[in-house]
Amino acid sequence: MVSLGEPVIFAVSDSIGETAELVARAAAVQFNSGHVEIRRYPFVTDLEYAREVIEEARKLKNCAIVCTIVLPEIRKSLVELAEANNIPIIDIMGPMMDIVSKITSARPKLEPGLVRKIDEDYFKKIEAIEFAVKYDDGKDPRGLAKADVVLVGVSRTSKTPLSMYLAHKRLKVANLPLVPEVSPPEELFQLPPGTVIGLTINPEILYRIRRERLKALGLSSDATYASMERILKELEYADGIMKKIGCPRIDVSNKAVEEVAARILEIIRRGED
């Protein structure tokens, strides 16, 4: 019997080739008769590179190609070249996209690596959400230096909801309450310009919000927390801290979280220009 040599599968893609390699491994692991080598060829985005892959495959007596190429012209050329050289080839992406196109009546974007980009976007969002939870309400001042944005303001100025909303925009946000009895950590005053954003609010509106908050908690609305004297003292203190930092300020009075977040994003973009 003539030995064909060790079998080789070429995992070819116009992106990183991870899917093609996983499919090849999933199939190869079903066979215990011998080892199957898998060689990954990523970023095959031009005809010249496709020809190079075929030339490499021609040197072997026992090989096959599995491809996940999105670009139609490259995919078609690779399949034709493989067939012309009697190299077994499986095109995974083409038939799958044809089926999806039929059932959705939509045209594919034909953008290599889109799954990877979507995955990266998802994990960045999760990381930002975890960051917002970890560094909420000044729990750990070490988070200030790691944050893309730091929100400061008195209690009930929507710092936490804004942090979570911005986290879904993939921004790492820390927030810090400003309380007269507690000096802000030194890290706050060492942050680069544009990192800190102050949140202010009309005292009458804050008075009503705090009274409703106490009622919701089953507490007396006469507590110092909701007294106008206390509110004015806190706002004056917070205003002094914000002036010392020199940070931009946003009045959150009667504004939805989405509206304030849009303003924060505008300030960030302006700072990056």
Side-chain angles (χ1 to χ4, degrees):
M1 181 180 291
V2 177
S3 175
L4 295 177
E6 185 179 71
V8 178
I9 296 177
F10 287 63
V12 185
S13 173
D14 48 11
S15 182
I16 62 174
E18 187 176 56
T19 302
E21 182 176 349
L22 284 173
V23 170
R25 290 193 185 281
V29 77
Q30 297 295 323
F31 300 87
N32 297 321
S33 57
H35 176 69
V36 177
E37 180 185 354
I38 298 173
R39 300 179 186 178
R40 190 194 295 193
Y41 288 78
F43 306 115
V44 180
T45 56
D46 58 67
L47 186 55
E48 183 180 352
Y49 194 2
R51 288 197 182 106
E52 289 178 9
V53 172
I54 297 298
E55 285 301 313
E56 286 296 315
R58 285 181 61 188
K59 298 175 184 177
L60 303 175
K61 294 180 180 180
N62 194 18
C63 72
I65 297 173
V66 55
C67 73
T68 53
I69 293 182
V70 170
L71 301 171
E73 64 280 7
I74 304 302
R75 184 173 66 245
K76 181 174 180 292
S77 297
L78 184 69
V79 171
E80 289 177 350
L81 286 167
E83 291 175 347
N85 287 276
N86 296 315
I87 301 169
I89 183 167
I90 297 176
D91 168 25
I92 296 173
M93 194 61 71
M96 193 67 238
M97 286 199 302
D98 289 342
I99 290 173
V100 175
S101 183
K102 286 178 182 176
I103 65 176
T104 61
S105 299
R107 299 182 65 181
K109 294 181 179 180
L110 303 178
E111 182 181 342
L114 199 56
V115 169
R116 179 169 50 85
K117 291 177 183 177
I118 292 172
D119 285 346
E120 287 176 356
D121 183 72
Y122 171 77
F123 286 116
K124 284 181 181 178
K125 185 185 295 185
I126 295 301
E127 184 182 4
I129 292 171
E130 290 175 346
F131 186 94
V133 172
K134 183 176 182 179
Y135 297 112
D136 179 51
D137 211 27
K139 292 175 184 173
D140 186 347
R142 291 174 299 180
L144 301 179
K146 303 173 185 176
D148 298 317
V149 183
V150 175
L151 304 178
V152 297
V154 300
S155 173
R156 313 313 297 174
T157 49
S158 300
K159 294 185 299 299
T160 297
L162 281 166
S163 295
M164 297 305 298
Y165 185 93
L166 292 169
H168 281 81
K169 302 292 183 181
R170 297 168 300 285
L171 285 174
K172 292 181 179 179
V173 185
N175 72 76
L176 183 71
L178 298 178
V179 185
E181 291 78 16
V182 181
S183 299
E186 282 303 313
E187 290 90 337
L188 182 66
F189 303 99
Q190 297 167 1
L191 297 174
T195 303
V196 182
I197 294 178
L199 304 176
T200 65
I201 190 170
N202 178 279
E204 292 289 344
I205 293 174
L206 182 57
Y207 174 75
R208 292 197 296 270
I209 291 173
R210 287 192 175 183
R211 284 176 66 87
E212 289 300 319
R213 176 60 175 168
L214 289 173
K215 285 181 183 178
L217 294 173
L219 302 174
S220 171
S221 58
D222 295 329
T224 303
Y225 173 75
S227 72
M228 182 57 74
E229 181 182 358
R230 173 65 185 183
I231 286 170
L232 291 173
K233 180 180 179 181
E234 286 187 27
L235 290 174
E236 182 181 5
Y237 173 77
D239 183 65
I241 296 295
M242 294 176 196
K243 284 180 179 177
K244 183 177 179 181
I245 297 170
C247 64
R249 283 174 278 184
I250 301 174
D251 188 342
V252 303
S253 305
N254 293 325
K255 290 186 175 69
V257 168
E258 294 84 356
E259 185 179 355
V260 179
R263 177 69 180 130
I264 291 171
L265 291 170
E266 181 185 336
I267 291 171
I268 294 170
R269 282 194 293 269
R270 195 171 62 220
E272 292 175 348
D273 291 342

